[in-house]
C-alpha cells in the first residue's frame, strides 16, 4: 500500500486535491487554477501539482512525499488519448490514473448506488451507472460538444451581442450590458473570442441566468435553448434505466428550474462532492493493486 493517496478533481475553472491515508481518510485539501488537459495541458499540469502541494502542506506532510503518492485524477478530456498520455507522462506521482471527471462526480454523488449525474459547469458531461455498467454521454469538449455548458452559454451570449449590434437580432438589457464591457465595440468582442478559453467564455454564463430572472428576452431564449440540450441528454439517460439523477457543477442549481417537468421527480441531492469521490476511487483502486501484487 502507498503511504499516501491523492484524489484530484481537475476542472475548467479550478483544480482541487485531497491527500489521504491508505484507508481513504482525508488529511488535507488544496486548490489551484484551471486544469483543462485538452485546451491547456501545460498549465493543467502546473495546477494539478500546485493543488497537490497545497493539500500536502495543509496536512503537514513533507512535500518530498508527493513523489511516492498514488493519485487518481478526474479530469475533463480523459476520453482523448493524446492529452491523457501527455499529462500522465509528466506527473510527479509514483503512480497516477486519469479518469473522467464524470466518474469521480458519480462516485461522490451516489456512492456505490445506481443512478446518473449531469455535470453542468464550464463544460458538460453525463454519466450513468447500473451495477458495473458505466456509460458516458457528452464530454466531447468545447469545440464540438459541451452543450448546455457555461462555456457554450457564454459563447452564445457573445454571438447574440454581435448579432444585436448588426441589428440582425433584437438587443436587450443583457446584450447592452455585455457590450458595455467591451466598450460597445464588436471588434473588442471578436478579439476576446479569438483567444478566449472555455473558462473565459463561461464567466458570462451567470449573467444569462441573472437577466433571465428579470425577464430579459435574449437571456430567456438562450436559456431555453440550452436547457433543451440538457433535457435531450437526460432523456437518453432515463431511457437507459436511470431513475436517480444528480445535477452537479456550478450551474446545476441555476439550471434546475429551467429543465423539463418530466425530469423533476427524478432529481436527488448528492451525497458528497467529486473530490470525495476521487479519494474513494483512489483508495479502492490502489488497495486492489496492492493486494494483487501481494
Amino acid at each position: 500500500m502507498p503511504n499516501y493517496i491523492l484524489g484530484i478533481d481537475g476542472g475548467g475553472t479550478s483544480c482541487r486535491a485531497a491527500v489521504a491515508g491508505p484507508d481513504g481518510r482525508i488529511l488535507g485539501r488544496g486548490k489551484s487554477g484551471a486544469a483543462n488537459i485538452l485546451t491547456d495541458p501545460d498549465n493543467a499540469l502546473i495546477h494539478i501539482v500546485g493543488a497537490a502541494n497545497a493539500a500536502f502542506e495543509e496536512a503537514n506532510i513533507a512535500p518530498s512525499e508527493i513523489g511516492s503518492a498514488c493519485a487518481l485524477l478526474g479530469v475533463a478530456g480523459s476520453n482523448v488519448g493524446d492529452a491523457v498520455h501527455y499529462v500522465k507522462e509528466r506527473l510527479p506521482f509514483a503512480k497516477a490514473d486519469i479518469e473522467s471527471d464524470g466518474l469521480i462526480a458519480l462516485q461522490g454523488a451516489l456512492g456505490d448506488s445506481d443512478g446518473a449525474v449531469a455535470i453542468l459547469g464550464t463544460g458538460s458531461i453525463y454519466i450513468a451507472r447500473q451495477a458495473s455498467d458505466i456509460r458516458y454521454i457528452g464530454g466531447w469538449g468545447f469545440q464540438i460538444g459541451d452543450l448546455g455548458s457555461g462555456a457554450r452559454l457564454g459563447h452564445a451570449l457573445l454571438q447574440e451581442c454581435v448579432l444585436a449590434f448588426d441589428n440582425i437580432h433584437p438587443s436587450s438589457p443583457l446584450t447592452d450590458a455585455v457590450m458595455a464591457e467591451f466598450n460597445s465595440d464588436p471588434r473588442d468582442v471578436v478579439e476576446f473570442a479569438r483567444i478566449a478559453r472555455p473558462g473565459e467564455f463561461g464567466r458570462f454564463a451567470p449573467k444569462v441566468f441573472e437577466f433571465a430572472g428579470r425577464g430579459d428576452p435574449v437571456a430567456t431564449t438562450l436559456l431555453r435553448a440550452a436547457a433543451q440540450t440538457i433535457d435531450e441528454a437526460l432523456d437518453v439517460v432515463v431511457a437507459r434505466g436511470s431513475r436517480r439523477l444528480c445535477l452537479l457543477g456550478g450551474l446545476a442549481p441555476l439550471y434546475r428550474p429551467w429543465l423539463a417537468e418530466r425530469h423533476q421527480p427524478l432529481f436527488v441531492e448528492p451525497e458528497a462532492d467529486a473530490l470525495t469521490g476521487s479519494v474513494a476511487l483512489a483508495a479502492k483502486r490502489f488497495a486492489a493493486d496492492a493486494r494483487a501484487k501481494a
Side-chain angles (χ1 to χ4, degrees):
M1 287 289 290
N3 290 329
Y4 300 105
I5 59 173
L6 272 166
I8 296 175
D9 176 19
T13 303
S14 65
C15 180
R16 299 182 302 149
V19 59
D23 60 355
R25 183 174 63 89
I26 293 177
L27 306 173
R29 301 171 186 264
K31 186 176 181 179
S32 188
N36 190 318
I37 68 171
L38 283 179
T39 59
D40 195 349
D42 291 314
N43 267 323
L45 280 162
I46 292 171
H47 293 148
I48 288 166
V49 176
N53 278 323
F56 272 71
E57 181 178 348
E58 183 179 271
N60 290 316
I61 302 171
S64 59
E65 292 287 343
I66 287 178
S68 62
C70 292
L72 188 141
L73 292 73
V75 296
S78 66
N79 53 351
V80 181
D82 290 346
V84 169
H85 295 317
Y86 182 87
V87 170
K88 192 170 182 177
E89 289 174 357
R90 290 162 175 79
L91 290 170
F93 314 121
K95 183 174 182 180
D97 285 350
I98 298 180
E99 299 287 357
S100 162
D101 54 353
L103 182 62
I104 64 170
L106 177 73
Q107 185 69 34
L110 299 176
D112 294 327
S113 301
D114 290 348
V117 295
I119 305 174
L120 308 171
T122 302
S124 65
I125 190 172
Y126 308 80
I127 179 170
R129 180 174 60 204
Q130 288 184 292
S132 60
D133 182 28
I134 296 176
R135 298 189 179 187
Y136 297 86
I137 296 173
W140 300 116
F142 172 72
Q143 284 76 15
I144 60 171
D146 286 354
L147 301 182
S149 69
R152 290 294 293 262
L153 189 59
H155 183 276
L157 171 56
L158 295 184
Q159 187 176 50
E160 283 300 311
C161 289
V162 174
L163 288 168
F165 179 87
D166 286 335
N167 294 314
I168 297 172
H169 286 180
S171 63
S172 77
L174 173 59
T175 59
D176 291 342
V178 173
M179 285 301 296
E181 294 186 31
F182 290 96
N183 304 309
S184 298
D185 190 337
R187 292 171 297 184
D188 289 351
V189 179
V190 171
E191 181 60 23
F192 168 84
R194 186 178 65 83
I195 59 175
R197 299 190 182 280
E200 294 170 305
F201 284 114
R203 74 176 180 84
F204 291 98
K207 194 178 293 288
V208 180
F209 289 95
E210 175 191 344
F211 277 77
R214 305 176 191 173
D216 185 278
V218 172
T220 300
T221 297
L222 289 174
L223 273 186
R224 284 176 176 165
Q228 182 178 347
T229 68
I230 297 169
D231 281 321
E232 289 171 347
L234 291 176
D235 284 340
V236 174
V237 168
V238 172
R240 291 177 176 175
S242 292
R243 293 296 177 267
R244 298 175 71 220
L245 306 175
C246 275
L247 298 179
L248 306 174
L251 298 183
L254 301 178
Y255 261 125
R256 182 165 175 172
W258 291 86
L259 299 178
E261 188 62 33
R262 63 185 179 274
H263 295 135
Q264 297 295 332
L266 302 179
F267 293 139
V268 298
E269 294 302 313
E271 296 177 8
D273 64 6
L275 183 59
T276 302
S278 68
V279 172
L281 286 175
K284 289 181 181 180
R285 181 162 306 178
F286 298 125
D289 287 351
R291 286 193 298 269
K293 292 176 181 178

